[in-house]
Structure formats: C-alpha cells, structure tokens
Amino acid sequence: MSQTPLSSRVVRASLDAFQRSNILWAAFGICTYGALYTGMLLSLGMSQRKIGLMMSVPLLTLPVQIAGAVLQQRYFNRKRFWVSALSFYLTMFAAMAALVVAWPALPEGVATGLFVTLLLLANIGFQLHRPVQLAWQSEIVPEREVSVFWNRLTAQGMVASVAAGFAMGWLADRLGRDNRLTFAGLLGIGLFFAATSLRTNARVPDPDPDPRSDGGVLGNMLEVLRTPGFRRLSAVFSMQSVAGWLCCAFIFVHLQRTMDFTMVQMQVLGGISCVVSFGAGRLFEIVGKHYGRKPVLLICTLVKSLEFILWGTMRPGDHVLDLAVRHASTSLLGDWAALPAGFASAIPVFVLGGFVNVGIASMQLAFMRSIGTRRTQTL
C-alpha cells in the first residue's frame, strides 16, 4: 500500500505529541539508568561486579533491533508492532518492581537470576520496538525541520529528565536510599508516566503502517550494509554507545560509594549539565542549519573523548578547583555556601557531558533521514 500523505495540521499535531510524550517518558527513563538505577542495585546489596553485569545486559540485546526491523517489515502492522513491544518492555519493569519488593524472601541466587531474566526480556522488548518507532517518527518529521526538531526534542528530554531527577532524587534521600522499597515506589511512579507517554505517542497516525515483502530480507540487509554512510555512522555511534554504557554503572557507583554524593547532589550536577545541554541544543540548531550535521558530530565526538578522560581524574576529597571555589563561595556568602568535598571538581565533567550528549543524540536521529530508502530505512 502506498504511503498516506498527512496534512500540515496533522503533522504539526504529531510533532507536538512527540514532544509531550518525550517529556512524560523522562520520569520513567530516569529510573532505568544513572544514579537512581545504580542506587536501586546498591540497595539490593549487589556488588560492583553484579552491577557491571546488569549494565551490560542492554548491550547484549542490541542485535535484536535487526530482528525487530525484519519482523515488522515483512509481517506486522508497524504501529501495532512497536506499541506491543514497548508495552511488553514496561510490563517487565513492573515485574522487576515487584521483584525488588519481594527480594529478601528469595534466595540470593534465585533473586539475582530473576532480575537478570526480567532485565534481559525488558531490553529485548525495547530493542524490538526502537528502530520501528524511530523509522515511523522520522517519516512524519518534515525534511526541512529534521535537525531543529531532533535537537529540540533531545534538549527538552534532558530538561524533563533533570526536573524528574530532582524530584526522584529528593524522594530517594527523604525515604532512604538504602531502602529497596524506595526505589520500587519510584519505579512505580515512573511506570505511570511511561504508560501515559506510550498512550500519547500511540495516538499519532502512521502514514505507512503496512508490512512490505519487496526485496527480501537478505537483499534489503545487504543494501543497507553496502551504504557507505551507514557503515561510517554505525562505527562512530557504536563506539560511543559501548564506551558510554561501560562507564555509566561505575561512574554512578563511584559517585555514591566513593565520593559519597547524595542523590540530590548528583541531580544538581545533572541540572548543571542540563542547562548546558539546553544552550548547546540551540547552538547546534543554528550550526546544523547553516553548516550541516557533520560539523556538529565531529565537534561533539572530539569533546566526548575529553569528557571520558576527565571522568578518570575524579578522586575523593578536595582538589585545587574545590579549594578555590569553596574559598570564593564562603568569602562572599559565608560558611553555609561551602560545597561538599569533590563537588566542584565534578562540575567540568558534567558541563562537557551536557554540551556533547545533546549534539550526539540529536545527530544520530537527524542522520536517519539521509541513509537508505523507505524500503530499507527501518533496517
């Protein structure tokens, strides 16, 4: 069936729905990575080795995206497919929240095995839906607005994540971050917002929902693999993704256990990063519009390398920057303005992260429109 054209009014309403859904999703997303997620794992008494295992599971399921693209393209209605896969993902996280509540009643090996199983199944559901949903969204976004839209969507998501993170972090500190029930409750709140986000997104029309059998799976995959742009971008984004996921677990364990930061302090650092991201998003909109997507990607990739180096320099206690900032703040505002030990040294790392992450994420999405045909775009 040929693609159904959407009116400008429907397209505009769809873009607004994407933005609302993205903001709602942030309240759930903040529970599935970073400080709150590692806090939940620590509250369950997991060792750093087990936490590393849990953080590696999503990487193991990335090839499932290919299976999702193939299955939908040949056999299933596109919207029904991604809605079903994403609903399964949320259901597994609901089961995970129940497991966290029941954790002490189960043998340690059984509880850990169930957690890994639920996490694996959840990420299979997420990876099945991801390329299908993004291909659908990218068809609705007008070509002339691609860079601007994805930059704006990414920046709004970061702002919403920080706002949700402040609220969730404050609750975690108030209720007790050593109490597993704290994180089970926060995950339940996040799931409510995720379900609302899913419902908002599902109301957007799909201009081309029907499966296609033309070309054959192997032929379409070979066509994608032969695309030079696909190979280059896949190499760049894959290396960044692997490095980010491998560091993520240990960064937030380090901040909580070694640096002894509270949840609120980590969310303050996240807020600083978000302010930078919002400004960088506007900057990248201008640069991308006038000079193209490639300069943004090159700049962000170079700065991301520097960010990883700075993460390795963070050590407990005060350093030169901490002493200088504490002296200046207490001299101007009094002793109440003294920052915690090591806090000022963490600020430059989060500033760099905020600058580059919004550019990398938005460029990943914007580049989708420049690779492949409608027949191969989901793959």
Side-chain angles (χ1 to χ4, degrees):
M1 185 179 293
S2 61
Q3 187 167 340
T4 304
L6 302 178
S7 68
S8 59
R9 182 183 61 83
V10 172
V11 168
R12 194 56 47 195
S14 299
L15 300 185
D16 291 342
F18 290 157
Q19 292 171 352
R20 292 196 303 272
S21 175
N22 189 48
I23 291 170
L24 289 167
W25 186 266
F28 170 72
I30 199 70
C31 297
T32 61
Y33 69 92
L36 287 170
Y37 183 64
T38 52
M40 180 177 73
L41 300 181
L42 289 171
S43 73
L44 297 176
M46 291 191 185
S47 64
Q48 191 151 319
R49 181 180 178 182
K50 287 183 178 178
I51 293 175
L53 171 65
M54 301 305 171
M55 297 301 291
S56 67
V57 168
L59 294 175
L60 300 176
T61 61
L62 286 174
V64 176
Q65 290 193 9
I66 299 174
V70 170
L71 287 171
Q72 183 279 311
Q73 210 164 42
R74 289 188 67 84
Y75 303 112
F76 297 103
N77 175 282
R78 187 161 62 178
K79 181 188 284 190
R80 292 173 189 166
F81 183 87
W82 75 255
V83 168
S84 299
L86 193 57
S87 298
F88 177 79
Y89 167 72
L90 296 179
T91 301
M92 291 302 99
F93 264 97
M96 188 184 296
L99 176 61
V100 170
V101 173
W103 193 269
L106 300 171
E108 182 180 353
V110 173
T112 302
L114 286 173
F115 194 97
V116 172
T117 301
L118 290 173
L119 187 61
L120 181 64
L121 291 173
N123 279 278
I124 287 174
F126 184 81
Q127 302 301 348
L128 283 172
H129 109 280
R130 188 60 174 162
V132 178
Q133 185 186 28
L134 285 176
W136 159 65
Q137 288 179 316
S138 67
E139 287 183 17
I140 295 177
V141 181
E143 176 64 31
R144 65 183 181 278
E145 298 183 33
V146 167
S147 295
V148 173
F149 174 79
W150 290 117
N151 268 306
R152 189 169 299 165
L153 194 76
T154 305
Q156 288 174 346
M158 288 186 172
V159 171
S161 295
V162 169
F166 270 119
M168 298 272 196
W170 180 82
L171 278 174
D173 283 336
R174 293 281 293 180
L175 299 176
R177 58 176 174 164
D178 295 326
N179 185 353
R180 73 188 191 286
L181 298 180
T182 295
F183 297 98
L186 294 178
L187 189 54
I189 295 171
L191 283 166
F192 169 79
F193 282 96
T196 307
S197 170
L198 173 59
R199 186 177 180 183
T200 302
N201 243 352
R203 290 175 176 173
V204 177
D206 189 335
D208 193 7
D210 296 322
R212 293 169 177 263
S213 58
D214 51 321
V217 175
L218 182 60
N220 288 341
M221 291 181 67
L222 290 175
E223 183 179 337
V224 171
L225 292 173
R226 291 191 190 106
T227 306
F230 171 82
R231 293 198 298 270
R232 286 195 296 268
L233 291 172
S234 293
V236 172
F237 292 139
S238 295
M239 288 188 290
Q240 291 172 346
S241 179
V242 170
W245 272 103
L246 289 177
C247 291
C248 184
F250 304 108
I251 285 172
F252 287 100
V253 170
H254 178 70
L255 292 178
Q256 294 179 70
R257 276 187 173 171
T258 309
M259 304 292 286
D260 200 29
F261 288 172
T262 67
M263 286 289 179
V264 170
Q265 288 168 352
M266 286 186 286
Q267 299 307 329
V268 169
L269 289 170
I272 294 171
S273 178
C274 174
V275 171
V276 176
S277 291
F278 194 79
R282 302 298 294 177
L283 173 64
F284 293 146
E285 283 184 25
I286 298 171
V287 174
K289 189 174 182 179
H290 288 84
Y291 302 103
R293 297 183 282 261
K294 189 176 290 186
V296 175
L297 180 58
L298 290 173
I299 292 170
C300 290
T301 301
L302 290 173
V303 179
K304 189 70 178 177
S305 303
L306 178 60
E307 180 200 349
F308 282 131
I309 294 172
L310 288 180
W311 276 117
T313 66
M314 290 186 62
R315 296 289 185 273
D318 287 329
H319 304 281
V320 175
L321 183 59
D322 297 285
L323 296 174
V325 171
R326 184 176 294 113
H327 176 74
S329 61
T330 54
S331 298
L332 294 172
L333 303 173
D335 292 341
W336 67 271
L339 296 177
F343 189 85
S345 294
I347 293 176
V349 189
F350 279 84
V351 167
L352 280 180
F355 180 79
V356 301
N357 289 341
V358 66
I360 290 174
S362 60
M363 288 305 103
Q364 282 179 317
L365 297 168
F367 265 114
M368 286 180 60
R369 288 296 290 269
S370 64
I371 297 177
T373 63
R374 163 65 186 94
R375 182 164 54 85
T376 62
Q377 192 173 75
T378 302
L379 278 172

